[in-house]
Structure formats: structure tokens, C-alpha cells
Amino acid sequence: MTDLSQTPPAASDARGRVAELHAIREQVRRGPSERATEAQHAKGKLTARERIELLLDEGSFQEVEPLRRHRATGFGLEDRRPYTDGVVTGWGTVEGRTVFVYAHDFR
């Protein structure tokens, strides 16, 4: 294990930024809140990523801009800026054939 006290400041800052990026990506994957996911499941519906996962070949999904957020203001929109902007978009394969997909995330 590396002793961070011996690491140059730029390297330790980079490690922190990478850890922050991993945390944001995990948050994106989980969605806006556990409660929102439970509400979607209670309605008998799947999340956008769950639907895409069922459609595509296992492990083939490549998401486009999962960290995208809107910049709209007014009507309280500046306080609600979900990642992916409510639409999961990308490509993958179905039975080995490339397809492009998107799904609205209603959470």
C-alpha cells in the first residue's frame, strides 16, 4: 500500500478526483434515490437501465454521456439536475448485432 504522505500533492489530488468520479458514476448507476427506484418497482415497472439490460446481450451496453446534466433555469429546474437528464442512451448488441437504444428514466 502506498503512503500518501510521500506522494506529490498533484498525484494525491488526482487520486481524490478519480475516487470522486467513481462515486458519481455509482450514483448515476443507482439513480436519483432508492425511494424512487422502489416506487418504480412498486408500480411493476423496471428502471431504464434494467430494461436496457434485459434487451441487450450481457455486458454489451456502452452508455453515451452518463454524466450529462441540463443547464436550464427557472421553475426550480436549477435545483433538480439529474445525471443522464432522465434519458439513458447508448449502444450494444442483440444476438450479436449492433443496436442503438435509449430509455426514459421516470424516476
Side-chain angles (χ1 to χ4, degrees):
M1 186 143 176
T2 305
D3 179 12
L4 289 180
S5 64
Q6 301 298 323
T7 306
S12 63
D13 183 51
R15 285 188 183 98
R17 297 290 289 163
V18 168
E20 180 182 348
L21 180 59
H22 285 296
I24 290 171
R25 285 184 175 163
E26 180 59 26
Q27 177 187 353
V28 168
R29 192 191 62 72
R30 283 193 322 266
S33 73
E34 195 63 36
R35 195 172 118 203
T37 301
E38 289 169 4
Q40 188 78 348
H41 289 162
K43 295 175 188 175
K45 297 181 178 182
L46 300 173
T47 67
R49 284 184 178 76
E50 289 168 340
R51 295 191 309 269
I52 289 171
E53 196 174 290
L54 283 174
L55 173 67
L56 299 179
D57 296 339
E58 187 175 337
S60 70
F61 183 55
Q62 298 295 314
E63 190 167 355
V64 175
E65 297 197 34
L67 304 183
R68 169 68 68 193
R69 298 170 100 176
H70 72 76
R71 291 179 270 178
T73 59
F75 304 104
L77 289 173
E78 58 275 359
D79 297 327
R80 296 188 52 217
R81 296 183 61 223
Y83 289 105
T84 72
D85 229 3
V87 181
V88 179
T89 308
W91 71 88
T93 58
V94 174
E95 296 185 7
R97 295 180 181 157
T98 301
V99 296
F100 297 88
V101 296
Y102 72 93
H104 290 274
D105 192 347
F106 297 104
R107 297 176 293 165

